[in-house]
Amino acid sequence: MTTAVGPDTARKPATMAQALGRALRDAMAADPSVHVLGEDVGALGGVFRITDGLVKEFGEDRCTDTPLAEAGILGTAVGMAMYGLRPVVEMQFDAFAYPSFEQLISHVSRMRNRTRGAMPMPITVRVPYGGGIGGVEHHSDSSEIYYMATPGLHVVAPATVADAYGLLRAAIASDDPVIFLEPKRLYWSKADWSADAPEQVPPIGRAVVRRPATGGRRGATLISYGPSVPVCLEAAEAARAEGWDLEVVDLRSLVPFDDDTVCASVRRTGRAVVVHESTGFGGPGGEIAARVTERCFHHLEAPVLRVAGFDIPYPPPMLERHHLPGVDRVLDAVARLQWESEWTEGSAV
């Protein structure tokens, strides 16, 4: 059955920032227990204007400006959740969240387990993260590995306008705490989308294939999430000129991790490259590569490779283009996937 699309529900260009703002607005309208709090989220509408208009519509009691005290903000959210509210916390920038880690690790991540499920912890922590906007140190970190390594947290990172809305609504509705990583450089990316009839997206814990391979002989899977997904899609298109057939998997959810979708892709292509902005040493790519290797060993034609940010503190704005994984670095990694094995396969040793 096809539903008619009227003028109010027609798809039109929208930014990720607009989709995130609409998700917050719709969640607050649907459930009076949803409260937004953070630095400058009220009158200013947030540094990136994601919360613009919420205080006017819902009042300061439900969209609350807080002091510059991240540990206090998250500690307050813990108390709110314990009393039945659904707080949505905005950490103004990625590295600004570090002072709140004691609350996050000692209480947010453990409360539901500590009470044997009797006390849910429906907190959504929105973290604008990653580089690409010319931000200085403490404004451009990719700190997802810290959250991934903390049992009890869900960790998601949208790469599309539709996912920004759908995953944020799912995060707010979850009874588990969710770290919602918002790629800052994609805030102004656009896609055709209807705010009044948003498309359904897969739930938290599901990856999707953004670009399927065509089944060519020289195939590989690019595994990514958040701000690196558009880089992988661009690299996959550029790779066609070299005769490479690249499939792109958008993880969407780092915890829970969708082994089934990722491994099905790698088994089809036989090769894999993990791409992310976080550091290579101790970064998410190491865990992803290990999971793929454990589950797909007999299907792999080459080791799983990683393209990542360098193992340094975030560089000054003029140097970030060298630090962030780009199309050339992705293609260089693809070129190192031991393609020569195709021509020596079956030959005498």
Side-chain angles (χ1 to χ4, degrees), residues 11 24 51 74 81 93 97 106 117 139 141 184 188 191 195-196 222 236 239 263 306:
R11 292 160 60 93
L24 291 170
T51 58
L74 195 53
F93 285 93
S106 296
H139 294 73
D141 279 12
K184 294 192 291 290
W188 301 279
D196 295 308
L222 302 181
C263 291
R306 292 170 288 166

Side-chain angles (χ1 to χ4, degrees), residues 205 256-265 267 288 291-292 295-296:
F257 190 86
D258 187 354
D259 290 298
D260 291 343
T261 298
V262 172
C263 291
S265 175
R267 289 172 187 141
I288 296 168
R291 300 179 79 87
V292 169
R295 292 162 175 78
C296 306

